[in-house]
Amino acid sequence: MTVPAGGRPAVPLRLDATTLDAPDARELASFYMALLGWEVDYDDGQWVKLRAPGGGATLAFQSEPLHRRPVWPTEPDAPAMTAHLDIEAGDLATAEAHALACGATTAAYQPQDSVRVMLDPAGHPFCLWTRPPN
């Protein structure tokens, strides 16, 4: 891999959004609005972008009629997760209860005590996690 001189791109670049495919962009955006308390920044019916109240990178959703729910943990010949969201929580049990009330499900396999792997309504895994005590 070649890195440009000074380690910077020739033009300014800024990560704008992470985009998740779903059978219905608005439906999945509604789930994450309830989960995170974010607001709609853009909505054309097929693509919805949410923005955090304090700004920063956004979370977007794209309608993909052929979307197949990923399987986690990965299994041979099944649609694999290619990315997941990590969401820090002040209290894991309270965050899990909130996620469940919003429409998430708790994944059967839980790899760590300080992380709760959840699945959004379209099947994307996301991790609720807490910092270990100092």
Side-chain angles (χ1 to χ4, degrees):
M1 174 171 87
T2 304
V3 177
R8 294 192 177 100
V11 296
L13 299 175
R14 179 182 67 85
L15 177 65
D16 176 63
T18 297
T19 304
L20 300 175
D21 289 351
D24 183 314
R26 284 183 171 155
E27 183 178 297
L28 193 57
S30 291
F31 166 78
Y32 280 98
M33 285 174 61
L35 181 72
L36 300 171
W38 289 18
E39 299 174 356
V40 174
D41 185 62
Y42 178 84
D43 180 351
D44 73 5
Q46 297 300 305
W47 195 76
V48 180
K49 183 163 66 168
L50 302 181
R51 180 168 307 285
T58 61
L59 188 55
F61 309 91
Q62 172 178 281
S63 289
E64 174 51 63
L66 300 178
H67 171 76
R68 291 179 59 208
R69 293 175 68 89
V71 174
W72 188 87
T74 304
E75 297 175 4
D77 302 319
M81 167 188 74
T82 58
H84 71 274
L85 303 175
D86 286 336
I87 300 169
E88 186 175 1
D91 177 82
L92 199 54
T94 302
E96 180 180 11
H98 173 65
L100 291 169
C102 291
T105 56
T106 304
Y109 175 67
Q110 297 295 324
Q112 300 161 295
D113 291 338
S114 62
V115 174
R116 189 68 66 241
V117 181
M118 308 296 293
L119 304 174
D120 72 22
H124 302 101
F126 64 94
C127 294
L128 300 172
W129 68 279
T130 57
R131 292 185 187 271
N134 291 351

